[in-house]
């Protein structure tokens, strides 16, 4: 059990013949009481300060734990966002590839149709040119059979026929 300032103050010493000077002992005891009280106060203040420091330490430990958990949650969220973004990008790429394939196939089909249409037009132009030539030749023959003697007219007609058929051929091509 530790002494209190009151214990020191109330302490009585027995008196002896050759004892110590009572005033000197009392003065010394008063000094001890004062120092002891100061030490007790300082010890109490330090205990309070240690308690406050423990509370702050606990508070900061809680903050540290919270921050650690927040960082972990943020990292997990970032990883999840990154994963979702990657999946979305892959989905967009696949969709774009499908669209590109569809567009290419449609373009090829249109190109084939245009090529077929072009061949058909060439055939029709050739048929038209042949029929037109036959018609002109028949008309010339008719003119020759009726006895028209317009040699110069006949020559001009042949030139016109040649010119027209050359022009139709070049347009058809």
């Amino acid at each position: 059990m530790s002494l209190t300032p009151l214990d020191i103050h109330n302490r009585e010493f027995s008196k002896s013949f050759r004892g110590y000077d009572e005033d000197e002992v009392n003065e010394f005891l008063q000094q001890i009481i004062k120092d002891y009280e100061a030490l007790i106060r300082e010890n109490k203040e330090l205990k309070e300060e240690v308690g406050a420091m423990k509370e702050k330490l606990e508070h900061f430990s809680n903050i540290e734990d919270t921050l650690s958990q927040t960082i972990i949650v943020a990292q997990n969220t970032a990883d999840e966002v990154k994963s979702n973004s990657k999946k979305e990008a892959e989905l967009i790429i696949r969709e774009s590839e499908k669209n590109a394939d569809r567009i290419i196939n449609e373009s090829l089909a249109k190109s084939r149709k245009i090529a077929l249409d072009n061949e058909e037009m060439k055939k029709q132009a050739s048929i038209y040119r042949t029929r037109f030539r036959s018609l002109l030749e028949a008309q010339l023959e008719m003119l020759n059979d009726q006895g028209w003697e317009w040699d110069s007219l006949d020559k001009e007609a042949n030139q016109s026929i040649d010119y027209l058929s050359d022009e139709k051929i070049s347009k058809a091509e």
Side-chain angles (χ1 to χ4, degrees):
M1 182 165 131
S2 61
L3 291 175
T4 65
L6 189 59
D7 291 337
I8 296 171
H9 182 54
N10 292 335
R11 174 69 184 197
E12 294 283 329
F13 294 98
S14 56
K15 295 184 184 182
S16 68
F17 172 70
R18 293 188 78 192
Y20 295 105
D21 181 10
E22 199 176 316
D23 289 337
E24 215 175 294
V25 169
N26 285 338
E27 189 179 308
F28 183 69
L29 284 176
Q30 287 300 323
Q31 183 63 40
I32 290 174
I33 290 170
K34 193 176 3 170
D35 289 349
Y36 196 67
E37 284 176 344
L39 286 173
I40 290 174
R41 258 192 321 273
E42 184 179 350
N43 190 17
K44 183 180 175 185
E45 288 172 0
L46 288 174
K47 283 181 181 180
E48 289 174 358
E49 193 175 320
V50 165
M53 292 296 182
K54 282 182 180 178
E55 284 181 20
K56 283 185 179 180
L57 180 62
E58 187 177 326
H59 175 73
F60 286 126
S61 291
N62 289 339
I63 288 174
E64 181 182 11
D65 290 343
T66 303
L67 287 175
S68 294
Q69 290 173 358
T70 302
I71 288 171
I72 290 170
V73 168
Q75 183 64 44
N76 290 341
T77 303
D79 290 343
E80 189 177 317
V81 167
K82 184 178 176 183
S83 174
N84 288 341
S85 296
K86 189 174 184 179
K87 287 177 184 176
E88 189 174 335
E90 289 172 357
L91 181 65
I92 290 170
I93 288 171
R94 280 196 301 270
E95 191 66 30
S96 298
E97 287 172 348
K98 285 180 186 176
N99 284 339
D101 287 343
R102 181 184 53 78
I103 290 170
I104 288 171
N105 289 336
E106 287 175 359
S107 297
L108 287 173
K110 285 180 183 178
S111 174
R112 286 185 196 116
K113 185 180 182 310
I114 290 171
L116 290 174
D117 289 348
N118 189 24
E119 286 300 318
E120 183 63 28
M121 288 179 82
K122 282 182 181 178
K123 286 178 187 175
Q124 287 178 2
S126 177
I127 292 170
Y128 174 76
R129 189 176 49 229
T130 303
R131 287 182 181 170
F132 189 68
R133 179 172 280 156
S134 296
L135 177 67
L136 287 177
E137 287 174 353
Q139 291 295 321
L140 278 175
E141 231 177 86
M142 236 172 49
L143 285 175
N144 285 337
D145 285 346
Q146 291 180 5
W148 293 36
E149 295 188 12
W150 296 354
D151 288 334
S152 63
L153 189 59
D154 193 24
K155 197 185 256 183
E156 286 178 26
N158 282 334
Q159 288 174 349
S160 294
I161 290 171
D162 290 338
Y163 174 76
L164 285 174
S165 56
D166 288 343
E167 188 174 310
K168 291 291 181 179
I169 290 171
S170 65
K171 283 184 181 178
E173 294 174 349

